[in-house]
Every structure is written in C-alpha cells, then in structure tokens.
Amino acid sequence: MDEKLKKVEQILQKYGQEQLLDGYNRLPGEKEKQDFLNSVLTVDFNQIEKLYNSCKEAKDFSKSKIEPIDFVDKSKLSKEQYEKYEKIGLEKIKAGKLAVVTMAGGQGTRLGHTGPKGTYDLGLDTHKSIFEILCDTLKEARDKYKVDIPWYIMTSDENNEETETFFKEHNFFGYPEKCVTFFKQGKLPMLDTNGKIILNEKGQIKEAADGHGGIFQSMLKDGVTFDMKARGIEWAFIGGVDNVLVKMVDPVLIGLAEDKHVLAAGKSIVKAGPKEKVGVFCKKDGKPSVIEYSEISEEMAAETTESGELKFAESHILCNLFNIEAIEKIGKMELPYHVAFKKAKYLNRDGEIVSPTEPNAYKFEAFLFDAFESMDDMAILRVKREDEFAPVKNAEGVDSPETARKLYIDFHSKNK
Ligand code: UTP
C-alpha cells in the first residue's frame, strides 16, 4: 500500500478522524487524492483536539483584575502637544519608516457580498470600491509627504485570487504596483459538534481562515516582516478592510507611541452607551487588553467616572499600530483561539452536499487584540467617531453600506 496513505490512516485512527478516509475513497482522481493526503499531513491534530475540548470550557474573567486604561484624547491635546507628536510622526513617515497593513481575509458573511469585502461598491457617485477608498488615504499621504508607503494586504485562501485580480483590473487605483504586496493568512479545519473534521463540497478538508489574530504568524511565515525590515520599516499600521473612514497614516499616533516608548498603539472611540456591542480597551492584570462586550459584566459596563463618562469607554476599532519588533515577537507566540458556531456547507458521509440552515460547525479564530497582553504597555489615542469610524459589517441597518456611505459623505463634505 502507498506509504503516504498508510501514514495518513495511522494518524486518522490515532485521533479518531477515520471518517475522513471515506471522503478520501470517494475522491475521483489521483490528483485529488494526493491533495487530500497532503492536507491531512499538514493538520496539527493535537491542536485540533485541544481546540475542540476548549469549545466546552467557559472563560472565567472573575479572577482577572480589570481596570480602565490610560488614553490620550486627540481632540483635547494642547497645540504644543499635538505639534510635538505630529512632528515625531511626520519624521518617521517622511523617512519611509511606516507601512500599512489591511486585513482583508475575512468572509464578510454578514454583508453577503459575493466577492471580497474590499471589492464592494459603497454606492458613492464615483462608484469607488472599499479598496479604492482605502487607497485614497495612501495617495493623499503620497502627495502630502512625498513618500510611497508600502501597502500589505492580507487575504485568505478563499479570496486571494479575486482580490489580486481586482487590483490588477483597476490598475492598483493609481498607486504604484511595486508598493502593494498580498499575503495569505493561515487556516484551520472546521469541526462538527462531535469534533470530527468536515469536508468541503469538493471532498477536501473544510478549512476556514484562522481569524485576524493569525496576522502576526502569517506576516512572519510569508516573509512580510522580512520584507518590511529590508525596506527599513519600523512601524506598521494594521487595520481592517471594512472601515471607510480609517486613517491609515496618522503622524500623531506614531508620535504618541514613540514619545511613550511603547511598541504598540491603538485608536479608540467613545463607546456609545453601556450596551453598545463593542470590545473596550482595558488593563487586565496590569497588561493592556480588550474586553469584549460579551465578557464584561453589566455593572462594569455601566460604571461611570466622576465626570459621568463610562469608565470603560475606549472602544477598540481595529486600528492599531505595531512596531516591527513587537510583530516579530507576537508572531512567534501562540494566541488563544476563540470558537464560533457557524453555518458551513459540507459533504456528508454519503457524499451529498448539505447547505445547513442552522449553525452546524465550529470555526476557530485568533483575535488580533489578544496580542496586546504580551505588551507591557500601549498608547491609546481617543479619536472622534465621526472622523474615523464608518464600518461596513451588515447588509442593512446599523453598520451597513448605507450608514457608512452617509458617514463618509458627511466627513468629506466637512473636510473639503
Ligand atoms: P470581522 O470580524 O468583522 O469579520 O472582521 P468579517 O469576515 O469581515 O465579517 P463577518 O463576521 O463574516 O460578517 C474584521 C476585519 O478583520 C478581517 C476582516 O477582513 C475585516 O477587515 N479578518 C477577519 C481577516 O482578515 N481574517 C479573518 O480570519 C477574520
């Protein structure tokens, strides 16, 4: 018998995943069979077992000491303070020390757009896609600071090809092609409720992107940090693809991090109310962290300061700045995985494609903000929601293209 197949059989038996062999036997051709065996050999089954067991564990935050985190309010800086940070940041930007990374590996299930989220036409008169809107900020910086800021775009297996093609078809939106680099994030198998790996429609292992926290490992593995260092980059702004008011090039943020001698900084906006479903920056056992809305108690979420503001008010908006040194350190660490129960199309044991109407499979994701706890300290810059936050998450209602478009238009008509 084929040695590789024998090895795969042993592994699958050891980890109770023999159902995959039925899938293997049903595959039509030699190429598909070899692909299947190779992908089984890349799976870390110990990790899969650990992840499945973790689905049943409830997180306990009661033992952690959660405190508010210090922040600087951008709009309340004195003229001198503002200019000091701006000057430091500008020096770095003009010296080519900044890169920008856009995380575009997500599935965008809530938006329901058929292509990658960045290719979505926001519905402006110009019909600009989200990618083009983001690129505008780099072109603006190019005109202002006379520097081509390298732009790295993290995609996933599922959307990489479409993303690259979109950029080519749109001539990189007029930004120099040599400044744009794509890299793919990692992926993990999806499991059914019994902890068994499921198959995709083609009969191969069903895998899903490993969450935005996978970015650090991917940057290391795919040579992004190496490339950045070769270009002399010191700071990388890392943001999501789906905020059409994101300020990817902000000298004040860099200046603040430099001045505070920290290796990471994050932007926050004031939480709209105790019940808003956002994670907030905090200190957890003395380390910077983000506590999610599902993890903070109602009492804590409603606590106020003497001036009547929420005590935990600094919402995390996935706009962060990391020093290369920090990225390299985090990339070598294992961040915790969070589990999500999702609807996932799969091939059942009779070889039939099933499109579930209810969640049926576990997906494991690392979150970028879990990396904060590995830092001694961070700089937090509070910015104005209407200036820097217009998320495109849902097809309709809150955080939809309609609300983001309005915020985008209002901001740009105010700042003409
Ligand atoms: P979200 O958590 O909002 O997920 O991602 P999403 O994929 O865009 O949308 P839903 O939840 O399926 O509706 C926030 C940001 O992180 C990126 C997304 O592309 C988005 O910019 N992301 C998320 C990744 O790059 N990789 C991932 O695995 C997950």
Side-chain angles (χ1 to χ4, degrees):
M1 196 212 272
D2 183 304
E3 280 304 307
K4 207 189 262 179
L5 177 57
K6 213 149 99 195
K7 179 141 195 250
V8 164
E9 275 181 355
Q10 279 169 0
I11 296 174
L12 296 181
Q13 264 150 21
K14 178 171 172 201
Y15 290 97
Q17 297 283 355
E18 299 94 325
Q19 83 289 349
L20 290 178
L21 288 171
D22 298 341
Y24 169 82
N25 288 326
R26 263 198 313 269
L27 286 167
E30 198 42 40
K31 170 155 189 333
E32 288 87 347
K33 288 194 151 127
Q34 284 306 316
D35 287 349
F36 190 94
L37 296 179
N38 291 337
S39 67
V40 171
L41 291 173
T42 61
V43 172
D44 179 346
F45 285 92
N46 281 320
Q47 182 192 33
I48 297 299
E49 252 181 19
K50 247 187 12 209
L51 290 176
Y52 177 63
N53 291 331
S54 74
C55 298
K56 298 167 226 150
E57 287 164 13
K59 276 207 218 156
D60 184 8
F61 289 91
S62 57
K63 292 191 198 87
S64 307
K65 188 172 171 212
I66 308 288
E67 296 165 292
I69 195 162
D70 288 339
F71 64 90
V72 168
D73 189 332
K74 196 176 186 183
S75 67
K76 293 198 178 136
L77 287 172
S78 67
K79 190 168 172 288
E80 291 73 35
Q81 280 171 323
Y82 190 97
E83 284 173 358
K84 178 176 96 174
Y85 296 140
E86 191 183 39
K87 183 167 176 284
I88 303 173
L90 279 180
E91 273 168 19
K92 291 283 169 191
I93 295 169
K94 288 182 181 167
K97 305 284 181 204
L98 175 73
V100 157
V101 187
T102 297
M103 297 186 292
Q107 288 178 308
T109 25
R110 286 169 289 170
L111 181 63
H113 169 54
T114 43
K117 213 187 237 185
T119 65
Y120 187 82
D121 173 351
L122 191 64
L124 301 168
D125 292 341
T126 54
H127 287 291
K128 282 183 185 179
S129 63
I130 298 184
F131 278 134
E132 182 164 8
I133 289 170
L134 300 193
C135 190
D136 282 348
T137 65
L138 295 179
K139 290 198 286 191
E140 203 184 298
R142 187 172 194 235
D143 291 344
K144 256 194 193 146
Y145 311 132
K146 310 286 171 244
V147 61
D148 289 333
I149 297 174
W151 189 16
Y152 296 84
I153 295 161
M154 182 172 83
T155 62
S156 56
D157 240 11
E158 290 146 66
N159 70 15
N160 181 70
E161 215 180 297
E162 251 186 287
T163 305
E164 286 199 29
T165 307
F166 190 79
F167 270 74
K168 284 192 193 112
E169 279 171 3
H170 291 83
N171 202 19
F172 290 76
F173 316 108
Y175 203 60
E177 186 176 342
K178 65 174 190 330
C179 295
V180 183
T181 308
F182 300 92
F183 67 102
K184 278 200 248 175
Q185 72 173 103
K187 50 197 180 162
L188 282 170
M190 290 184 82
L191 306 181
D192 69 13
T193 49
N194 298 312
K196 305 288 178 198
I197 293 176
I198 58 172
L199 298 176
N200 65 21
E201 295 109 290
K202 290 187 182 142
Q204 300 286 341
I205 287 182
K206 174 112 184 165
E207 290 174 306
D210 61 358
H212 44 59
I215 187 165
F216 305 101
Q217 281 185 0
S218 302
M219 284 177 75
L220 235 66
K221 203 163 55 63
D222 298 349
V224 173
T225 43
F226 181 84
D227 188 58
M228 284 182 173
K229 277 169 50 180
R231 295 186 196 222
I233 301 294
E234 288 175 11
W235 290 100
F237 176 87
I238 303 183
V241 71
D242 49 10
N243 172 9
V244 294
L245 282 181
V246 63
K247 303 271 169 299
M248 307 199 288
V249 185
D250 185 347
V252 176
L253 187 67
I254 302 170
L256 182 68
E258 283 273 346
D259 188 65
K260 220 180 158 195
H261 301 292
V262 289
L263 295 179
K267 286 193 176 181
S268 67
I269 55 168
V270 179
K271 190 173 171 181
K275 291 205 159 68
E276 197 191 4
K277 289 186 171 178
V278 289
V280 287
F281 282 104
C282 65
K283 279 245 162 144
K284 185 170 153 199
D285 298 326
K287 295 293 181 79
S289 183
V290 166
I291 182 161
E292 289 188 84
Y293 64 87
S294 51
E295 297 166 348
I296 192 166
S297 69
E298 264 181 51
E299 303 78 64
M300 218 168 175
E303 270 181 65
T304 50
T305 62
E306 275 172 19
S307 59
E309 269 199 345
L310 287 178
K311 216 168 173 182
F312 293 92
E314 305 316 306
S315 309
H316 173 249
I317 52 169
L318 213 53
C319 287
N320 301 297
L321 181 76
F322 291 88
N323 193 281
I324 284 286
E325 233 180 86
I327 296 173
E328 286 192 318
K329 181 179 146 200
I330 303 162
K332 290 179 194 139
M333 290 171 17
E334 177 92 336
L335 293 182
Y337 285 97
H338 301 250
V339 61
F341 198 39
K342 296 257 181 182
K343 277 189 268 182
K345 223 189 226 186
Y346 70 104
L347 204 66
N348 70 13
R349 300 214 182 154
D350 299 318
E352 298 154 349
I353 296 175
V354 183
S355 302
T357 50
E358 294 298 324
N360 62 309
Y362 293 120
K363 179 181 180 206
F364 301 95
E365 290 185 299
F367 294 162
L368 176 135
F369 49 77
D370 281 327
F372 297 158
E373 285 173 38
S374 66
M375 231 75 67
D376 287 332
D377 202 2
M378 264 179 88
I380 309 295
L381 184 66
R382 180 193 275 189
V383 296
K384 286 190 180 157
R385 184 182 284 256
E386 64 273 26
D387 289 350
E388 307 211 17
F389 193 54
V392 182
K393 296 281 181 195
N394 305 306
E396 286 170 355
V398 286
D399 300 343
S400 64
E402 192 185 340
T403 55
R405 185 165 59 239
K406 180 168 182 330
L407 286 162
Y408 179 92
I409 293 171
D410 288 351
F411 175 81
H412 286 278
S413 44
K414 210 171 63 190
N415 292 280
K416 256 188 198 151

